[in-house]
Amino acid sequence: MIIIKLYTGGCGVIVYNKDHTRILLGKRTDGAGWCIAGGKREDNETPSETARRELKEEFGLDVSIENMKYLGKIYSKTIIKGEYTNVISNIFYTDKFNGNITPQESEIS
């Protein structure tokens, strides 16, 4: 029997280029494939604040909350610390950001 946990505090942001022909993806260093910027919500943090923070931490890009649009929630399955986990995440998108892409080497190769 497999017990699968449910985590509902995920947040992420899809980053488009100006003409919406490309999105930013990072290859995960844990071997779990490709991903958008995102992660777990911290205490007293709104979903948009989480998405903004994760984009800065993982890719080095700044975005104002006003320049992010809410897309909706997605459901995914992943492995977190060796355990199968169902994740429900709030997803935002933007094409207005500042900075140069600088992957966080511990998470993004």
Side-chain angles (χ1 to χ4, degrees):
M1 170 166 45
I2 297 175
I3 297 175
I4 299 178
K5 294 183 175 186
L6 175 63
Y7 179 75
T8 60
C11 300
V13 59
I14 298 169
V15 178
Y16 289 95
N17 63 344
K18 294 297 179 198
D19 58 1
H20 288 216
T21 58
R22 297 178 183 199
I23 63 171
L24 177 63
L25 295 175
K27 189 168 185 182
R28 295 170 53 128
T29 58
D30 64 5
W34 295 86
C35 65
I36 62 172
K40 294 180 179 181
R41 196 169 63 235
E42 294 180 357
D43 292 340
N44 301 318
E45 197 174 47
T46 67
S48 58
E49 290 168 339
T50 300
R52 180 178 186 266
R53 176 181 52 77
E54 291 288 347
L55 179 60
K56 179 67 175 173
E57 289 175 3
E58 294 177 358
F59 291 97
L61 298 177
D62 288 310
V63 63
S64 69
I65 290 175
E66 297 78 26
N67 285 330
M68 293 190 317
K69 305 293 184 210
Y70 183 68
L71 188 59
K73 292 183 180 186
I74 63 167
Y75 167 83
S76 62
K77 293 180 181 181
T78 191
I79 298 174
I80 299 175
K81 296 182 181 177
E83 295 184 296
Y84 289 96
T85 305
N86 291 311
V87 178
I88 298 173
S89 297
N90 289 288
I91 303 298
F92 299 83
Y93 68 96
T94 189
D95 63 1
K96 295 176 177 71
F97 52 88
N98 295 305
N100 296 314
I101 298 170
T102 308
Q104 181 184 32
E105 293 180 8
S106 62
E107 291 187 34
I108 306 295
S109 64

